[in-house]
Amino acid sequence: SLDNNHSFFNQFTEADEHLIEELILHFYEEKNPAHIDKIKPHIPRIAKSIIKHSEDKKIDFRILLGILKTESDFSQSVVSSTGDFSLAQ
């Protein structure tokens, strides 16, 4: 159990960021390997955004990765039934 003086969410390192980038790349390669070059330049920005939202909302980054994979499979062109257009919809 974490106490009030210790927060898992404030201890992201470059290694964590690299891990998130690798996971995003892996997820995207599974779905759309032919277009991997399109997403590669955006992966660092997406990873930083995941870290920021994880810290802001105090949600484990793996949960956010799961939401993005489920909602859009990391495809920026997915549009939901309600017209939402984003990775998380």
Side-chain angles (χ1 to χ4, degrees):
S1 166
L2 298 176
D3 61 38
N4 291 336
N5 297 320
H6 179 79
S7 175
F8 164 80
F9 304 103
N10 293 327
Q11 297 185 359
F12 281 98
T13 65
E14 285 185 36
D16 295 324
E17 189 172 332
H18 181 70
L19 171 64
I20 294 168
E21 290 174 4
E22 290 296 317
L23 288 169
I24 294 167
L25 183 63
H26 172 75
F27 291 149
Y28 199 87
E29 283 178 325
E30 282 182 340
K31 168 119 172 117
N32 206 345
H35 297 102
I36 196 67
D37 289 336
K38 287 183 179 180
I39 191 79
K40 274 187 178 180
H42 303 283
I43 290 176
R45 180 179 50 82
I46 295 168
K48 284 178 180 29
S49 180
I50 289 169
I51 289 170
K52 180 188 179 316
H53 285 87
S54 177
E55 291 172 334
D56 289 352
K57 303 297 182 187
K58 300 198 179 347
I59 299 172
D60 190 303
F61 74 88
R62 291 167 288 212
I63 293 171
L64 294 179
L65 284 170
I67 290 168
L68 295 176
K69 177 135 177 59
T70 300
E71 290 294 320
S72 67
D73 218 2
F74 291 94
S75 174
Q76 296 176 332
S77 62
V78 172
V79 179
S80 74
S81 60
T82 59
D84 297 321
F85 184 76
S86 72
L87 291 177
Q89 303 190 36

